[in-house]
Amino acid sequence: LTSPLRPWAIVDSREVFTLAPRVSISVDTVKLPDGRIIEDYCQIRTADHVVIYAETEENLLICLQQYRHGSRRVGLTLPAGNIEADEKPLESAKRELLEETGYGGGLWFDLGKYPVHGSQGVSTSHLFVVKGCAQVAEPNSGDLEEAIVELYTKDYVLTALRRNEFLVLSDAAAIGLAALHVFPPDDPVMK
Amino acid sequence: LTSPLRPWAIVDSREVFTLAPRVSISVDTVKLPDGRIIEDYCQIRTADHVVIYAETEENLLICLQQYRHGSRRVGLTLPAGNIEADEKPLESAKRELLEETGYGGGLWFDLGKYPVHGSQGVSTSHLFVVKGCAQVAEPNSGDLEEAIVELYTKDYVLTALRRNEFLVLSDAAAIGLAALHVFPPDDPVMK
């Protein structure tokens, strides 16, 4: 993408709050392309994470029923979790899927990566698809949230989206992008 | 959705940082259903916002090329913006589409609402589809970001997603959910 538009310049960045290792807030002084200076543009950092649209060999979607505190309710999510310091996103995705659901194997595809907030950034969601998973262990996530593994047909997933049963924006993004076949359908980039 | 799972209880909530009116951070003490107490569960609040998947009468998707500081780069986004204090989300969506692109009219559908972060919350994205828009004014957003209005075919949108040209998770979610026909296709809920 060539563009006549230019990025902003960061003139200064002051860290104003930290709750290590999860959350930090900085206030940037930025210079816009037209020369204007903005003194207080807030940037938020939390851990980057992976979200996995995982289908079984029977083409069922592997979901978790759980409570998420950011959503303040019980509902459906996709397997997901933070990227640890020494991990590549795909490694995190395989680890989280196994820990949270007990499923492994399959063919993996990359759905892209997106900051969750266009202004404040916050964290980057790395989205993956895996097809043809099989259960190889019992779930054992170690997360604060209790979770129930549930398998759904694509028809039910659509119904659940219409009922707003999915809890987080990244769930909607991964389900939608998987349906759009954003990944090369006959060419898994990662075995 | 009936569930054996229970929400967490918020025992205490301390506001630890505010950059009015845009950003506030609180640290919650929460009680899990199994009785465990977590003393430092961080919650982030920024403005709730709308994101609009808007098609013209020619079935082209109305995109903006712009820089977003949360993404640190120039790319494509959907029309979007914060919900003002006195607005309903649909009102915000119509206002933002008109301000940012000059387009109006059409049939509106609700794609659902999602917190952008499952743990920290951060803000809620209200996603809409509008079909059959027409240009009725010149764009005049008043935003800090310069923006170029660009119309794309669905084939190009898929290519752009594969190239990771879209900047924000809510763009991917709205495009994916629109393709899935999450809204009732023959029954606009809002004229």
Side-chain angles (χ1 to χ4, degrees):
Chain A
L1 194 73
T2 59
S3 173
L5 302 178
R6 291 286 160 264
W8 298 356
I10 301 174
V11 177
D12 186 38
S13 181
R14 284 99 50 202
E15 191 161 294
V16 293
F17 176 76
T18 304
L19 186 68
R22 275 170 295 184
V23 177
S24 72
I25 315 284
S26 66
V27 176
D28 290 0
T29 300
V30 295
K31 184 175 181 180
L32 310 190
D34 65 8
R36 276 183 295 171
I37 301 284
I38 307 297
E39 300 275 0
D40 60 350
Y41 205 88
C42 189
Q43 293 292 280
I44 302 168
R45 289 298 313 160
T46 73
D48 291 341
H49 52 266
V50 293
V51 179
I52 307 112
Y53 178 99
E55 284 185 5
T56 68
E57 292 166 322
E58 298 77 26
N59 301 315
L60 298 173
L61 181 63
I62 305 172
C63 296
L64 299 170
Q65 189 192 141
Q66 64 180 172
Y67 172 79
R68 296 307 316 270
H69 196 55
S71 310
R72 292 284 195 282
R73 64 187 174 103
V74 172
L76 296 178
T77 64
L78 299 185
N82 290 343
I83 299 171
E84 304 296 338
D86 57 346
E87 283 181 327
K88 291 181 178 168
L90 178 62
E91 294 169 351
S92 307
K94 291 180 176 179
R95 175 184 53 74
E96 287 287 350
L97 181 64
L98 182 64
E99 288 176 359
E100 293 197 331
T101 73
Y103 279 79
L107 282 179
W108 287 79
F109 305 88
D110 189 341
L111 283 179
K113 59 180 179 176
Y114 296 91
V116 304
H117 200 291
S119 301
Q120 271 69 55
V122 181
S123 59
T124 296
S125 276
H126 296 255
L127 309 178
F128 292 94
V129 166
V130 55
K131 302 225 172 195
C133 300
Q135 191 168 8
V136 295
E138 291 300 312
N140 181 20
S141 77
D143 291 342
L144 295 177
E145 295 90 350
E146 292 177 283
I148 302 169
V149 176
E150 298 181 335
L151 306 182
Y152 289 115
T153 63
K154 285 176 188 168
D155 278 353
Y156 183 76
V157 169
L158 186 54
T159 298
L161 285 168
R162 286 177 175 153
R163 292 178 180 164
N164 216 208
E165 287 181 8
F166 282 95
L167 291 175
V168 188
L169 186 63
S170 54
D171 299 328
I175 294 168
L177 293 179
L180 264 173
H181 296 288
V182 163
F183 54 90
D186 299 316
D187 180 23
V189 290
M190 299 169 295
K191 298 295 187 341
Chain B
L1 193 75
T2 60
S3 173
L5 303 179
R6 290 288 161 261
W8 297 356
I10 299 174
V11 177
D12 185 37
S13 181
R14 286 100 49 206
E15 190 160 295
V16 292
F17 176 76
T18 305
L19 186 69
R22 275 169 292 183
V23 177
S24 73
I25 316 286
S26 67
V27 175
D28 290 1
T29 299
V30 296
K31 184 175 181 180
L32 310 191
D34 64 9
R36 276 183 295 171
I37 300 285
I38 308 297
E39 300 275 2
D40 60 349
Y41 205 87
C42 188
Q43 292 291 279
I44 302 169
R45 288 296 314 157
T46 71
D48 291 342
H49 52 265
V50 293
V51 179
I52 307 113
Y53 178 99
E55 283 185 6
T56 67
E57 292 167 321
E58 297 77 25
N59 302 315
L60 298 172
L61 180 63
I62 305 172
C63 297
L64 299 171
Q65 188 192 139
Q66 63 181 173
Y67 173 79
R68 295 308 313 274
H69 196 55
S71 311
R72 293 285 195 281
R73 63 186 175 107
V74 174
L76 296 178
T77 64
L78 300 184
N82 290 342
I83 299 171
E84 303 296 336
D86 58 345
E87 283 181 326
K88 292 181 178 167
L90 177 62
E91 294 169 351
S92 307
K94 291 180 176 179
R95 175 184 54 73
E96 287 287 351
L97 181 64
L98 183 64
E99 289 176 358
E100 293 197 333
T101 72
Y103 278 78
L107 282 178
W108 286 79
F109 305 86
D110 189 340
L111 282 181
K113 59 180 179 177
Y114 295 91
V116 304
H117 200 290
S119 302
Q120 271 71 53
V122 181
S123 59
T124 295
S125 276
H126 296 255
L127 309 178
F128 293 94
V129 166
V130 55
K131 302 224 173 195
C133 300
Q135 190 167 8
V136 296
E138 292 299 314
N140 181 19
S141 77
D143 291 342
L144 294 179
E145 295 90 352
E146 293 176 282
I148 302 170
V149 176
E150 299 181 337
L151 306 182
Y152 288 116
T153 63
K154 285 175 188 169
D155 279 351
Y156 184 77
V157 170
L158 186 53
T159 298
L161 285 168
R162 287 178 175 156
R163 292 179 182 164
N164 217 208
E165 288 181 9
F166 282 95
L167 292 175
V168 188
L169 186 64
S170 54
D171 299 327
I175 293 169
L177 293 179
L180 265 172
H181 296 288
V182 164
F183 53 92
D186 300 316
D187 180 23
V189 290
M190 299 168 295
K191 298 297 190 333

